[in-house]
Amino acid sequence: MPPEPQTANPILSESQIADLKLAASKMSGSTRRAFQADMSRKYCAGNARQTERCFGWGREGVQLGLEEQRNGMVCVGAQAAYCGQKRWEETQPEAAAALLALAEAHSQQDPTFRSSIAYTRLTAAEAIRQLQAMGFSGGQVPAPSTMARILNRNGYRLRKVEKAKPQKKIPETDAIFANIQANDGQFADGAVKRLSMDCKATVNIGDYSRGGKTRGDNKAADHEMGCKEKYIPFGVLDEDSGQVYLTFGSSSKTSDFIVDSLCRVWEQMPSADKDACQCIQIKADNGPESSGIRTQFLKRMVEFANHTGKTVHLLYYPPYHSKYNPIERCWGILEQHWNGTQLKDAETLLEWAKTMTWKGINPMVEFSRKVYEKGVTLSKKAMEAVEARLERNAALPKWDILIRPVFG
């Protein structure tokens, strides 16, 4: 029998259906089935046949995705599960974790966000030397050629990047980086929750080109003048679990927007992680809304420490070096993920953000319509009470700040 003709879903426009189909085409395996099952439940009442007619996806795959969600089990093909030689990262997980930590400490994101590659100064020979210094030896450490391939396939490329080279350097730059490295995860067993946070450039909503290629509608406006709808992305990366939290704000990028979003991230974290945590370590760049001298931001962070009951440790990257902040890597992945689509409305923006993956994990995405007032500052007298709660590093007072909670 000939296949049944596709029929559009009355809830969705043809453009929205094309966007969802494009999103699914960039996934594979269980990730694609889970996405198709979510769309089936949302728009087609969980009916696999109706989903096939609406989106053109095979109903067998959609039905399997629905069953996987109902049972909480993920089907894995026999060949994928049992065949092939295992990679070094799988056979030596401890050494692999140490290697990736080394590479991450020396990496920065391409500032154009046109590539998800992290450029690192760590050579294969130096990586081997440092792993051996940590006690890994023999079959645990690969040959230099293999080490280079391992770094490359994990996204760490060794190449000169002129555009990523900072144009300026302050006298404290080296000391700031040394301080970050010394404080980074200094306690074990989850006692320190390592977070990296930052805002991305404002995203314009409309039929604008974001570069990349698409199999869908490829006609876009030739300029972005007169854009009326814009959203500010704010992101937090849990460096230990790999979970990314994204908030898209419809108002202004302010200290209050940043801290309100941070509070929501804290509430979403697993209870076990929050109970084990004694200190929340936050890495940030020295942007005007969250710097170590921004009065409203520091006031809100004191309130955040009191709210969580945890010590808050603020570590700032030096000026012109914000691309070393780990969350910047996630912005690069997001830009690559949605660069072939036109973000015509807020729903498309959020759906694309939800389907991005960082270390195999989808981000937790929220939308904020709260209106924030710009230019909020504290008087000198009000700031004295806030400053009394700040324990500034004597050598780096603007780049290393400790805030202890006050109960009651």
Side-chain angles (χ1 to χ4, degrees), residues 41-224:
R41 288 189 289 104
K42 184 173 183 178
Y43 298 112
C44 303
N47 187 303
R49 187 178 293 275
Q50 184 180 346
T51 306
E52 181 182 46
R53 289 197 297 268
C54 177
F55 297 101
W57 299 326
R59 61 179 178 273
E60 294 84 0
V62 175
Q63 188 62 47
L64 179 57
L66 291 168
E67 292 297 333
E68 286 177 332
Q69 290 189 344
R70 292 191 188 102
N71 301 327
M73 300 174 63
V74 177
C75 297
V76 180
Q79 183 170 1
Y82 300 107
C83 294
Q85 183 179 0
K86 290 186 177 181
R87 290 183 170 181
W88 176 80
E89 296 95 313
E90 299 177 67
T91 59
Q92 302 294 337
E94 293 183 2
L99 172 65
L100 296 183
L102 284 173
E104 194 69 28
H106 294 81
S107 298
Q108 69 175 117
Q109 175 61 37
D110 175 4
T112 66
F113 295 123
R114 294 178 181 175
S115 170
S116 59
I117 295 174
Y119 303 100
T120 181
R121 301 185 300 274
L122 187 67
T123 64
E126 178 63 15
I128 292 173
R129 189 191 68 77
Q130 294 202 31
L131 286 179
Q132 290 174 340
M134 293 179 185
F136 298 102
S137 59
Q140 293 179 295
V141 181
S145 59
T146 305
M147 176 63 76
R149 289 197 299 271
I150 292 169
L151 288 170
N152 287 345
R153 70 170 171 246
N154 281 281
Y156 300 100
R157 296 295 180 88
L158 183 64
R159 65 175 65 167
K160 188 175 182 180
V161 188
E162 290 297 335
K163 288 186 178 180
K165 185 178 180 180
Q167 299 301 309
K168 296 182 182 180
K169 187 176 180 180
I170 63 174
E172 299 92 343
T173 294
D174 292 336
I176 292 170
F177 273 110
N179 182 62
I180 291 175
Q181 187 173 5
N183 286 279
D184 191 19
Q186 55 183 321
F187 300 104
D189 302 326
V192 173
K193 175 59 70 176
R194 301 186 306 150
L195 304 178
S196 169
M197 72 176 191
D198 191 23
C199 286
K200 186 181 180 297
T202 302
V203 179
N204 292 338
I205 299 299
D207 56 346
Y208 305 128
S209 170
R210 306 193 61 82
K213 297 181 180 180
T214 177
R215 294 185 186 275
D217 181 9
N218 65 340
K219 295 181 180 179
D222 59 354
H223 58 77
E224 298 185 10

Side-chain angles (χ1 to χ4, degrees), residues 261-271 274 304 307-308:
S261 301
L262 186 61
C263 288
R264 288 194 295 271
V265 168
W266 176 256
E267 297 302 327
Q268 293 178 76
M269 287 186 177
S271 299
K274 292 192 286 188
F304 176 69
H307 171 70
T308 61

